[in-house]
Amino acid sequence: MSAQVLDGKAVSAAIRAEVANEVADWVSSGGAQPTLAAVLVGDDPASQVYVRNKERACEKVGIASRLLRRDANTTTEELLELLAKLNDDTAVNGILVQLPLPDGIDTQRVLDAVAPTKDVDAFAPENVGLLVQGRPRFLPCTPHGVMRMLHHYGLDFAGKHFVVVGRSDIVGKPLANMALQRDLGFGPSFANATVTVCHSRSENLPEITRTADVLIAAVGRPQMITAEMIKPGAVVVDVGINRIESGLVGDVDYASAAEVASAITPVPGGVGPLTIAMLLKNTLMACKLQNT
Ligand code: NDP
């Protein structure tokens, strides 16, 4: 079997075009231009690239962006003051704090200081709680991107076994929560999964992953999911981004997995491009929420 390749770039382009149209409609009907503020602390090269990409993506869809750069010696208290100002600034609709923050900064306190209505990453406890209760304000960007990808290709998972490997607050847990919902807003076929979440302490991981109809890898270990761990015909979504000598690879051993799966996301070009697209969507949504 040779799997269908799920093209994240194409899906992302479609979502960005949708957002650009919505922004144009909103602004032409008198709405304020949506604005995203990005807080970048220190000089981590990868973070700088991510933030630059986010700025460019905003510009292309008509969203204004502000970059607040602080050096690596910035204290937690200084960041809390900065966030308080951004929270109070009515011209700022969405706030993102680029992770990781340098050592010595209390990341949790900083993230908790973002106003929930401007929390376009959907990390705030209030937003996590709303998602768990099935009435989300914002959907977290990477998991939302995964769901949109499955929806775009008509790969429904209602009633199917959805196995998520990884339980981070950014990817694994919210993804599991989303798949579990009764209604995620994409129609009944794109929710209502039977969900299993695995992590580093899970026993017999390959036995569990082999029961997955939809297998999501969000681990951060290069090519750890091999063909033997995949049920023939499963849909495989690789969230992992790992830099190895030969370049970027995912958590899935793509070449062998593509022989077994019915559909698979590549790395790069799979889930990655969707994350930014969903951030744009959330920023527009935040702007509308704050202004209607
Ligand atoms: P974390 O490091 O926060 O979480 C990794 C998870 O994997 C943990 O729950 C950990 O378990 C689990 N894990 C580690 N080793 C194993 C193992 N051997 N078997 C089973 N589970 C294991 O990572 P993130 O969730 O933030 O990111 C995961 C990957 O996704 C990374 O490669 C990251 O770069 C990528 N990523 C990609 C994004 C995109 O836009 N495409 C966005 C965000 C992340 P435990 O909890 O027990 O430690």
Side-chain angles (χ1 to χ4, degrees):
M1 186 185 294
S2 196
Q4 177 187 15
V5 179
L6 307 178
D7 181 351
K9 282 191 198 153
V11 182
S12 170
I15 296 167
R16 288 174 201 224
E18 191 181 293
V19 174
N21 283 336
E22 274 185 57
V23 170
D25 286 350
W26 169 255
V27 172
S28 69
S29 61
Q33 187 184 23
T35 299
L36 176 69
V39 177
L40 175 62
V41 188
D43 43 23
D44 176 56
S47 293
Q48 298 191 35
V49 173
Y50 288 139
V51 167
R52 207 174 312 130
N53 289 344
K54 287 170 188 173
E55 284 184 299
R56 281 201 201 115
C58 281
E59 198 183 319
K60 285 192 184 148
V61 299
I63 292 177
S65 62
R66 285 197 207 166
L67 175 58
L68 292 308
R69 291 191 78 128
R70 295 295 182 269
D71 66 42
N73 297 323
T74 306
T75 63
T76 301
E77 297 304 329
E78 285 164 342
L79 285 180
L80 296 181
E81 272 172 40
L82 173 62
L83 288 169
K85 281 193 189 129
L86 294 173
N87 287 341
D88 287 345
D89 186 341
T90 53
V92 169
N93 307 114
I95 301 172
L96 79 86
V97 178
Q98 184 62 44
L99 299 177
L101 291 171
D103 290 346
I105 293 180
D106 186 337
T107 300
Q108 196 60 64
R109 270 184 82 201
V110 171
L111 293 181
D112 284 352
V114 175
T117 51
K118 297 190 177 185
D119 168 41
V120 285
D121 272 325
F123 292 160
E126 182 178 316
N127 288 325
V128 175
L130 287 169
L131 169 60
V132 172
Q133 290 188 344
R135 47 188 186 127
R137 176 187 280 137
F138 302 118
L139 291 173
C141 300
T142 301
H144 191 185
V146 170
M147 294 304 175
R148 274 297 294 257
M149 175 90 95
L150 296 172
H151 179 252
H152 180 91
Y153 283 98
L155 300 167
D156 64 321
F157 48 83
K160 306 272 176 55
H161 193 198
F162 201 100
V163 175
V164 184
V165 189
R167 58 173 163 185
S168 72
D169 291 335
I170 297 177
V171 188
K173 274 189 216 158
L175 196 45
N177 260 314
M178 287 168 76
L180 187 63
Q181 296 302 327
R182 283 206 180 85
D183 179 3
L184 203 53
F186 304 130
S189 303
F190 302 97
N192 293 305
T194 301
V195 180
T196 300
V197 184
C198 303
H199 46 78
S200 67
R201 306 293 296 274
S202 297
E203 290 181 359
N204 306 322
L205 183 68
E207 263 175 44
I208 301 169
T209 57
R210 272 198 298 271
T211 65
D213 300 305
V214 180
L215 177 60
I216 313 281
V219 181
R221 286 180 163 247
Q223 299 163 320
M224 73 163 273
I225 304 285
T226 52
E228 308 73 58
M229 298 170 76
I230 299 169
K231 174 160 104 175
V235 173
V236 177
V237 175
D238 190 353
V239 181
I241 302 176
N242 309 288
R243 188 168 291 282
I244 61 170
E245 249 174 52
S246 58
L248 282 189
V249 295
D251 291 341
V252 176
D253 178 31
Y254 185 85
S256 72
E259 292 300 312
V260 182
S262 61
I264 188 166
T265 61
V267 177
V271 175
L274 287 160
T275 298
I276 295 185
M278 303 333 278
L279 176 73
L280 302 173
K281 223 176 162 42
N282 280 351
T283 304
L284 172 60
M285 193 187 288
C287 178
K288 289 184 172 177
L289 278 174
Q290 290 156 29
N291 290 288
T292 46

